[in-house]
Amino acid sequence: MTAMRKLSDRLSELADLKALQTLAGWDQLVMMPPGGAAGRVHQAGTLARILHDHATAPEIGELLAELEVGELPELERDVVRLARRDWERARRVPTDLAAELSKAHADGQESWQAARAADDFAAFAPALERNIELARAYGRCLDEEGRGVYQSLIDDFDFGLRTDELRRLFSELGSRLTPLVEEASARAAIEKPAVPREVQQRAVETIMARVGVDGESWRLDTSAHPFSASMARTDQRMTTRYEDGGIESLLSSLHEFGHALYELQIDPALDRTNLGAGTSMSIHESQSKLWENHVARHPAFATVLVEGLGAAGFEIGAGELHGALVAVAPSLIRVSADPLTYPLHIVLRFELELALIDGDLGVADLPAAWRDGVKRLLGLDVPSDALGCLQDVHWSEGAFGYFPSYAMGCLIAASMWEAMEREIGPRAEDLERGEVEPIKRWLGDRVHRHGRRLDTVPLVERATGTGLEVESFLRYVAPFAAV
Amino acid sequence: MTAMRKLSDRLSELADLKALQTLAGWDQLVMMPPGGAAGRVHQAGTLARILHDHATAPEIGELLAELEVGELPELERDVVRLARRDWERARRVPTDLAAELSKAHADGQESWQAARAADDFAAFAPALERNIELARAYGRCLDEEGRGVYQSLIDDFDFGLRTDELRRLFSELGSRLTPLVEEASARAAIEKPAVPREVQQRAVETIMARVGVDGESWRLDTSAHPFSASMARTDQRMTTRYEDGGIESLLSSLHEFGHALYELQIDPALDRTNLGAGTSMSIHESQSKLWENHVARHPAFATVLVEGLGAAGFEIGAGELHGALVAVAPSLIRVSADPLTYPLHIVLRFELELALIDGDLGVADLPAAWRDGVKRLLGLDVPSDALGCLQDVHWSEGAFGYFPSYAMGCLIAASMWEAMEREIGPRAEDLERGEVEPIKRWLGDRVHRHGRRLDTVPLVERATGTGLEVESFLRYVAPFAAV
């Protein structure tokens, strides 16, 4: 067997183990009865340990050393390049630290749940402190070039996306969006249509079928928080949730569709390699945001949405529905924010987590800093920590450097949408008929098929012809402030 | 860390990997969209290889050698005893043979599916021949004491159950049941009630809730063939199927409940050890058959069934329903056989697979031997191989030695039911009210809690006070022939 064949077999094995990890996680959130919880913690722990052992095997290093001296075809060069990156990063983290991290994240989540329920930040503070300490230790292990601990954490989610670039973009975003928020806040709130749960469910099924969700390669289930999970390129599982009297499920199901379509349209030649997955959190989020913001919130696509609702027995005009989907109303909670204010929630979290990791902000001062930030960016008073710095799960699980991808997704989606319309023409006429094939083809060619072969920044540059920028997004949201 | 602690950790890891294997299999049959099939084959293959590597690790042998020289408490002695057995058996099979077996089973299943659809036994014969050859090679690896190849195969499913004991029991069963079949065949057939699919589904949900199936530790889904899968002691997944105009789902759901309850009532102290699973296929099948034959087909429990059907909007008398559930009518297909003729289907398969493995019957002569056997045991003519020796999947997957457990389950269930009624009194009065707690308690104490600590034969002897025998079962079915 050649060295390349041996390496490929090992990488396929890792891909299989990751797919099983995805399955165990999906099952836990979607299918598992509560009685399975204790067992699943053990099963997931065992799988993670075995995956780590296989990912850090010395034999991979030997094969890489052998392959890196020779000439390889382009695809195999990418396989080796990413395998080297993944193997080095995995080996830099001592087993003891990995175990401590895993324990602290589990403890942190438990502590956070109780603290949020009791609106008691002080009860969560020690666990958060511990997570920050361990995140620094983890970041230092990965920080080979002295680029800073926070940069190392970012690299886990968006390899190569620079902290100073985020600083520049988010600062621009903050100063340019705040006046729009003020403008919008001066207007009367728009009442959202109260769509019954069963109607939403039937409408979502119809709408998903129109964008191409079939029983062959997809599932759509419900879970407490919508998410998507790729078991294999042609086995995409999405979830949504139906709350009585809302329309969120229309947006969230198309959001998850964007994630799943990305994985589905990766080049089949990358199946079971180390390249056969979405390249980063920001790009993944750009794909979900593209379908949520630019398709589901497109005035022309409202026709398709009202047809779906109508077939389920709920009558509403396309204009009225679209108005509700783009209504701007600053609010305290990130997950239910409108498309204009959403990135400001992220700007706040980015500023704070960067300061926490760098030691410029102490844990005890977080609640006050949060309140100041919400006032500055959204013009709102925060009445409690439960509605403030305790609202998100991320920091309790030790996920620092993850939040930025949510806002980057909004920006990149807007850049891509403009680039696409420049190339294949405005989408309004097609979207009114529910025709999304040209969009899927463009995304497939420019974004999806590459898998992990291109990192965030080069992928955006190739797909849009420009770098990371805020102007497209500002052009997208400006009209919502003036409605 | 002590040697016992190290061994326990390794056995827990194996238990976790097996649970993940169960999850992947359950998902494949119940949830996975068809597009996931190719990926799942790879994922399952990788998991099986890793499980085999961990199960045969030399370190386990070293720990066992160390532990076997000392004194151990009773539970740990059983852990070590079973770990030795499993480790020895796993190590006796060369990796190459395991890979060949796995390949031949996959090929065999594919070949069988096509051959059955085309009613073309000759198209399946080469794959069957190959499976038999490999089963012999596999059996020889495990046959350390020269007890015969077929005995080694049986040991995979029912360790310690002897081939000559099966021969004795099945010969007795054949000669004693055939006259009852003749008696029953002389009577007019009983029309089965045509219950619509949706009614069955609602009725099954009601009935399962009455025997204790809740959302905490159970799921009930549908699949092409009913089965049950234990993800963890308190995470039991059962499936059934609803066919329009049938009542099979009432029986099959209680059948699967029996399997799942067995796993649920194992002593929690055995969780994540090598002892925390049902001990054998025969005992497992005895538990499902106990609920199918002795509870669901009990005349008193018919009251509960008709209440369930009534609540779902289908009116039928308890007597009429019970009559349909125990009606005897010899038929060609094993899976839809009545309770009296069912074991005869197994007697036939046992005789034939024993002869195939021992070389007393050639593959080419199988169809004729099948037809002769069906005529002799059931008095029926077999019009085609699709309705004859091509009907079951087992041999195509290389599962020789598995069939006997189906009939042993019927026999053991009847023995246990009689033993239980001797001890706690007749069940009729309780069953009429849907009271099954005393049954669950008796089974929990005598059978379930032991997990793998007792093998088939000693477990039956302890639970019933007698050995393996046919009389209880014959007493159970005799009335059905005379109805």
Side-chain angles (χ1 to χ4, degrees):
Chain A
M1 232 181 0
T2 66
M4 193 65 217
R5 186 71 256 150
K6 283 184 198 164
L7 179 67
S8 295
D9 282 353
R10 285 183 172 269
L11 298 174
S12 292
E13 193 175 73
L14 292 177
D16 291 336
L17 289 172
K18 281 178 198 159
L20 290 163
Q21 215 169 26
T22 304
L23 172 64
W26 173 84
D27 181 77
Q28 183 170 354
L29 294 171
V30 184
M31 296 294 165
M32 188 181 80
R40 186 57 50 85
V41 169
H42 288 300
Q43 293 150 16
T46 290
L47 190 51
R49 265 194 315 279
I50 289 173
L51 184 52
H52 183 259
D53 286 349
H54 284 246
T56 56
E59 291 81 359
I60 292 181
E62 290 159 20
L63 292 168
L64 289 174
E66 189 178 332
L67 288 161
E68 281 160 346
V69 296
E71 276 294 305
L72 289 170
E74 205 181 345
L75 175 60
E76 300 188 343
R77 216 156 53 218
D78 282 345
V79 167
V80 168
R81 179 171 58 84
L82 269 288
R84 166 65 70 188
R85 181 199 292 174
D86 294 341
W87 185 76
E88 294 283 352
R89 286 177 68 83
R91 284 176 66 93
R92 279 174 186 277
V93 183
T95 312
D96 286 355
L97 177 58
E100 276 184 278
L101 281 162
S102 159
K103 171 92 173 60
H105 298 169
D107 292 348
Q109 225 195 317
E110 208 180 310
S111 158
W112 166 76
Q113 271 172 341
R116 187 175 67 156
D119 188 22
D120 179 3
F121 179 78
F124 174 53
L128 179 57
E129 193 82 68
R130 174 87 180 132
N131 274 352
I132 292 168
E133 272 166 31
L134 287 173
R136 286 182 194 139
Y138 174 78
R140 278 192 298 270
C141 295
L142 297 173
D143 186 19
E144 46 178 327
E145 289 158 23
R147 297 174 309 159
V149 165
Y150 188 76
Q151 182 62 55
S152 304
L153 302 178
I154 287 281
D155 282 345
D156 259 1
F157 304 106
D158 266 276
F159 194 87
L161 186 59
R162 294 199 335 275
T163 307
D164 54 4
E165 180 84 340
L166 288 174
R167 240 192 262 264
R168 178 183 73 76
L169 291 163
F170 287 178
S171 151
E172 180 82 9
L173 206 51
S175 61
R176 302 274 295 278
L177 280 178
T178 333
L180 296 180
V181 174
E182 280 169 29
E183 189 183 335
S185 300
R187 302 176 177 278
I190 289 182
E191 197 74 26
K192 300 230 167 181
V195 184
R197 184 189 298 255
E198 303 71 36
V199 170
Q200 288 177 58
Q201 182 153 5
R202 286 203 301 279
V204 162
E205 279 162 15
T206 309
I207 295 158
M208 295 300 263
R210 287 194 70 174
V211 298
V213 170
D214 60 36
E216 178 62 27
S217 307
W218 307 79
R219 281 189 66 94
L220 176 64
D221 295 284
T222 59
S223 63
H225 300 282
F227 72 104
S228 57
S230 175
M231 305 297 161
R233 190 171 43 74
T234 48
D235 181 358
Q236 298 298 328
R237 320 264 177 116
M238 305 172 289
T239 74
T240 187
R241 63 176 163 203
Y242 303 104
E243 282 168 346
D244 249 332
I247 48 172
E248 289 304 311
S249 60
L250 302 181
L251 296 168
S252 98
S253 56
L254 280 157
H255 179 104
E256 298 308 330
F257 173 75
H259 282 302
L261 183 69
Y262 182 8
E263 297 283 332
L264 186 84
Q265 293 203 128
I266 293 173
D267 182 353
L270 308 185
D271 283 358
R272 295 182 77 234
T273 72
N274 56 340
L275 307 176
T279 195
S280 71
M281 288 304 305
S282 290
I283 297 297
H284 238 299
E285 197 65 13
S286 77
Q287 296 312 293
S288 56
K289 281 290 175 188
L290 188 139
W291 288 87
E292 177 193 337
N293 281 351
H294 299 275
V295 176
R297 288 191 166 107
H298 198 290
F301 197 71
T303 312
V304 174
L305 300 179
V306 299
E307 279 169 15
L309 288 166
F314 187 89
E315 297 302 329
I316 182 172
E320 190 192 338
L321 181 66
H322 178 252
L325 293 175
V326 301
V328 175
S331 68
L332 295 167
I333 302 297
R334 175 182 64 84
V335 295
S336 52
D338 61 71
L340 190 152
T341 57
Y342 184 87
L344 292 170
H345 291 265
I346 302 307
V347 169
L348 170 68
R349 286 154 178 76
F350 168 70
E351 289 173 358
L352 297 175
E353 71 178 13
L354 185 55
L356 286 168
I357 294 293
D358 284 355
D360 299 333
L361 175 67
V363 163
D365 300 324
L366 175 62
W370 187 283
R371 283 193 291 273
D372 291 350
V374 171
K375 189 72 187 174
R376 171 169 49 90
L377 292 163
L378 295 161
L380 299 175
D381 294 312
V382 179
S384 73
D385 292 334
L387 296 170
C389 64
L390 284 174
Q391 70 183 266
D392 291 309
V393 70
H394 303 62
W395 293 339
S396 81
E397 296 175 333
F400 299 94
Y402 183 117
F403 277 128
S405 66
Y406 290 129
M408 291 311 299
C410 297
L411 302 186
I412 297 168
S415 305
M416 284 186 180
W417 186 263
E418 287 193 353
M420 183 184 64
E421 288 202 315
R422 276 197 304 274
E423 281 182 48
I424 63 171
R427 294 294 87 215
E429 220 173 281
D430 271 3
L431 284 182
E432 198 162 356
R433 292 180 292 117
E435 172 60 270
V436 296
E437 283 307 316
I439 300 175
K440 288 159 81 169
R441 273 200 301 275
W442 191 89
L443 292 172
D445 183 57
R446 299 311 169 90
V447 182
H448 302 170
R449 69 184 170 91
H450 301 296
R452 295 180 72 206
R453 299 185 71 177
L454 295 168
D455 287 325
T456 305
V457 177
L459 181 66
V460 171
E461 284 170 356
R462 284 236 222 151
T464 67
T466 60
L468 301 171
E469 50 92 27
V470 300
E471 300 302 332
S472 310
F473 180 74
L474 290 168
R475 278 191 289 273
Y476 163 69
V477 291
F480 306 158
V483 171
Chain B
M1 232 180 0
T2 65
M4 194 64 217
R5 186 70 256 149
K6 284 185 199 163
L7 179 67
S8 295
D9 283 353
R10 284 184 173 269
L11 298 175
S12 292
E13 194 175 73
L14 292 178
D16 291 336
L17 290 172
K18 280 178 200 159
L20 290 163
Q21 214 169 27
T22 303
L23 172 63
W26 173 84
D27 180 78
Q28 182 171 354
L29 294 172
V30 184
M31 295 295 165
M32 188 181 80
R40 187 55 52 84
V41 169
H42 288 300
Q43 293 150 16
T46 290
L47 191 52
R49 265 197 313 280
I50 289 173
L51 185 52
H52 183 260
D53 286 350
H54 284 246
T56 55
E59 291 81 0
I60 292 181
E62 290 158 20
L63 292 167
L64 289 174
E66 190 178 330
L67 288 161
E68 281 160 346
V69 295
E71 275 296 305
L72 289 170
E74 206 181 344
L75 175 59
E76 301 188 341
R77 215 158 53 221
D78 281 346
V79 167
V80 167
R81 179 172 57 84
L82 270 287
R84 166 65 71 189
R85 181 200 291 175
D86 294 341
W87 185 76
E88 294 284 352
R89 286 177 68 83
R91 283 177 66 93
R92 280 173 185 277
V93 182
T95 312
D96 286 355
L97 177 58
E100 276 183 280
L101 281 161
S102 159
K103 172 93 173 57
H105 298 170
D107 292 348
Q109 225 195 315
E110 208 181 310
S111 157
W112 166 75
Q113 270 172 342
R116 187 176 68 157
D119 188 23
D120 180 3
F121 179 78
F124 175 53
L128 179 57
E129 191 82 68
R130 174 87 179 131
N131 274 352
I132 292 169
E133 273 166 30
L134 288 173
R136 286 183 194 138
Y138 173 78
R140 277 193 298 269
C141 295
L142 297 173
D143 186 19
E144 45 178 326
E145 288 159 23
R147 297 174 309 156
V149 165
Y150 188 76
Q151 183 62 54
S152 304
L153 302 178
I154 288 280
D155 282 345
D156 259 0
F157 305 105
D158 266 276
F159 194 86
L161 186 59
R162 294 199 334 275
T163 308
D164 55 4
E165 180 83 341
L166 288 173
R167 239 191 264 264
R168 179 184 71 77
L169 291 162
F170 287 179
S171 150
E172 180 81 9
L173 206 50
S175 62
R176 302 276 294 277
L177 280 177
T178 334
L180 296 179
V181 175
E182 277 167 31
E183 189 183 333
S185 301
R187 301 176 177 277
I190 290 183
E191 196 74 27
K192 301 232 165 179
V195 183
R197 183 190 299 254
E198 303 71 34
V199 170
Q200 288 176 58
Q201 182 153 4
R202 287 202 301 280
V204 163
E205 280 162 15
T206 309
I207 294 159
M208 294 301 262
R210 287 195 71 175
V211 297
V213 171
D214 60 35
E216 180 61 27
S217 307
W218 307 79
R219 281 189 66 94
L220 176 63
D221 295 284
T222 59
S223 63
H225 301 282
F227 73 103
S228 57
S230 174
M231 305 297 161
R233 190 172 42 77
T234 48
D235 181 357
Q236 298 298 328
R237 320 263 177 117
M238 304 172 288
T239 73
T240 186
R241 65 176 161 201
Y242 303 103
E243 283 168 346
D244 248 332
I247 48 172
E248 289 303 311
S249 59
L250 302 182
L251 296 167
S252 97
S253 56
L254 281 157
H255 178 104
E256 299 307 330
F257 172 75
H259 283 302
L261 183 70
Y262 182 9
E263 297 283 333
L264 185 84
Q265 294 202 131
I266 292 173
D267 182 353
L270 308 185
D271 283 356
R272 295 183 76 233
T273 72
N274 56 340
L275 306 176
T279 196
S280 70
M281 288 302 307
S282 290
I283 298 297
H284 239 299
E285 196 66 15
S286 78
Q287 296 312 293
S288 57
K289 281 290 176 189
L290 187 139
W291 288 87
E292 177 194 337
N293 281 352
H294 299 274
V295 176
R297 287 190 167 107
H298 197 290
F301 198 71
T303 311
V304 175
L305 300 179
V306 299
E307 279 169 16
L309 288 166
F314 188 89
E315 297 300 331
I316 183 173
E320 190 190 339
L321 181 65
H322 178 253
L325 293 174
V326 301
V328 174
S331 69
L332 295 167
I333 303 296
R334 174 183 64 85
V335 295
S336 53
D338 61 71
L340 189 152
T341 57
Y342 184 86
L344 292 170
H345 291 264
I346 302 306
V347 169
L348 170 68
R349 285 154 178 77
F350 168 71
E351 289 173 358
L352 296 176
E353 70 178 13
L354 186 55
L356 286 168
I357 295 293
D358 285 354
D360 299 332
L361 175 67
V363 164
D365 299 323
L366 176 61
W370 188 283
R371 282 192 291 272
D372 291 350
V374 172
K375 188 74 188 174
R376 170 170 49 89
L377 292 163
L378 294 161
L380 299 174
D381 294 311
V382 178
S384 73
D385 292 333
L387 296 170
C389 63
L390 283 174
Q391 70 181 264
D392 290 309
V393 69
H394 303 62
W395 293 338
S396 81
E397 296 176 334
F400 300 93
Y402 184 117
F403 277 126
S405 66
Y406 290 129
M408 291 311 299
C410 297
L411 302 187
I412 296 167
S415 305
M416 284 185 180
W417 186 262
E418 286 193 352
M420 183 184 65
E421 287 201 317
R422 275 197 305 273
E423 282 182 47
I424 65 171
R427 293 294 87 215
E429 220 172 281
D430 271 2
L431 284 182
E432 196 161 359
R433 293 179 292 118
E435 174 59 271
V436 295
E437 283 307 316
I439 300 175
K440 288 159 81 170
R441 274 200 300 276
W442 191 89
L443 292 172
D445 182 57
R446 299 311 169 90
V447 183
H448 301 172
R449 71 183 170 91
H450 302 295
R452 294 180 70 206
R453 297 184 72 177
L454 294 169
D455 288 323
T456 305
V457 176
L459 181 65
V460 170
E461 284 170 357
R462 285 238 221 150
T464 67
T466 60
L468 301 171
E469 50 92 27
V470 300
E471 300 302 332
S472 310
F473 180 75
L474 291 168
R475 279 192 288 273
Y476 163 68
V477 292
F480 306 158
V483 170

